Structures are given as C-alpha cells and as structure tokens.
Amino acid sequence: MPSRSRALAVLMIASTSMVLSACAGAPFVGDRSAEAFAERLPGTWIESSGDGPAVLVLSEDGTFEAHDLPAALACGGSAGDPELEACRADPRPSSISTDGTWSVLDEEQGMLELDVDGRLLAVGYRDFDGFFAESFSLGFYTGALDVREPDHVFSRR
C-alpha cells in the first residue's frame, strides 16, 4: 500500500505545481506579451472611453488612419513642435482625422508610436483586458503617465 500512497502524493504535488505555475505566468503565457503585440496590432480600434466614435485603423504595412481622434492627443504639443495641418486649420478642434505611420517602440512593454509627417502624434500603451492576457486595449495619455488609467482607450473592433 505505501507505493500507492506515494504515487498519489507525487501526482498531487505535480498537479499543484502545474496549476501554480500556470497562475503565476498567466499574463505572459507563451509570447503573448512580446512578439504577439506587434502581430496583433493591425486592424480597426475603436475608442471605448470617450464621447465620440474615434477610430484608429492600423494597417499591416505600417500605415494608419485616424478618424475623429480626440484633438487632445494630437494638438497643442510643446512650444516649437510642428503642428499638424488639422490643428492649424482649426485652432480649437474637438477631434481631427489624419494618417501616417505606426511602429512598435517596445514590444516587451507594449508601446506603439503614431507618426505624422515626421512628427510624433501619440504613443499608445498595451493595457491587458484581463488577467489571462487573452486580449488587450491601447491606452493613450494626454498628460502625465503617472495616473491610474489612460485618458483614451481603444479596443479592437
């Protein structure tokens, strides 16, 4: 009988170890946190946190189109920075539409850069939608990064 008890104990320890390691590593299952970030970016993203229907379309070729993007993300940069044409045309726009290129600044941290004619438009940050990292949103800040939640959150459509 002792061998049966021992086999059961080994099985229990192995099962517990597997469950605990799966829970401990859940947000980083496989390569979801790194290379999968860049691969999962192309597509249509809709702002889920704002008043308007802002849409961000990221193409596989590294270009993007932004429709009704909150002006706070694009206009009113630092003094001396070149302003986007859409911001110059209307000194107080509520939203703008523009296009440009996108690139990944840091795959591991999940940082996306949007660029329009050589000017940094915005930086988006991956924000996991759940503990198991099955999906993520893109968060954009208009001010300091030390706030709890991004000002604008875009979710995949």
Side-chain angles (χ1 to χ4, degrees):
M1 247 345 155
S3 64
R4 186 173 189 179
S5 297
R6 186 175 184 180
L8 185 56
V10 168
L11 180 61
M12 292 290 288
I13 291 170
S15 298
T16 303
S17 296
M18 285 179 18
V19 169
L20 290 175
S21 65
C23 289
F28 305 101
V29 174
D31 279 343
R32 288 187 195 274
S33 68
E35 60 83 19
F37 175 67
E39 291 176 2
R40 293 169 64 189
L41 284 173
T44 301
W45 297 82
I46 307 292
E47 184 179 15
S48 56
S49 61
D51 300 330
V55 178
L56 179 62
V57 180
L58 302 175
S59 300
E60 288 185 13
D61 66 359
T63 60
F64 78 87
E65 292 179 22
H67 304 279
D68 297 317
L69 191 69
L73 285 176
C75 302
S78 301
D81 283 349
E83 282 280 3
L84 294 176
E85 179 60 37
C87 299
R88 285 194 307 253
D90 180 355
R92 299 187 80 130
S94 59
S95 65
I96 65 162
S97 295
T98 191
D99 57 25
T101 58
W102 67 269
S103 59
V104 173
L105 289 176
D106 185 337
E107 285 201 43
E108 189 172 326
Q109 296 299 315
M111 296 171 60
L112 164 75
E113 177 182 79
L114 302 177
D115 182 80
V116 176
D117 296 328
R119 179 188 183 272
L120 176 64
L121 174 70
V123 174
Y125 299 85
R126 174 186 53 212
D127 184 21
F128 288 118
D129 294 334
F131 180 75
F132 292 104
E134 292 297 322
S135 63
F136 61 87
S137 301
L138 294 174
F140 293 87
Y141 297 83
T142 56
L145 296 176
D146 61 353
V147 295
R148 193 166 247 195
E149 298 293 325
D151 300 300
H152 303 280
V153 178
F154 286 75
S155 300
R156 182 173 294 285
R157 180 170 168 191

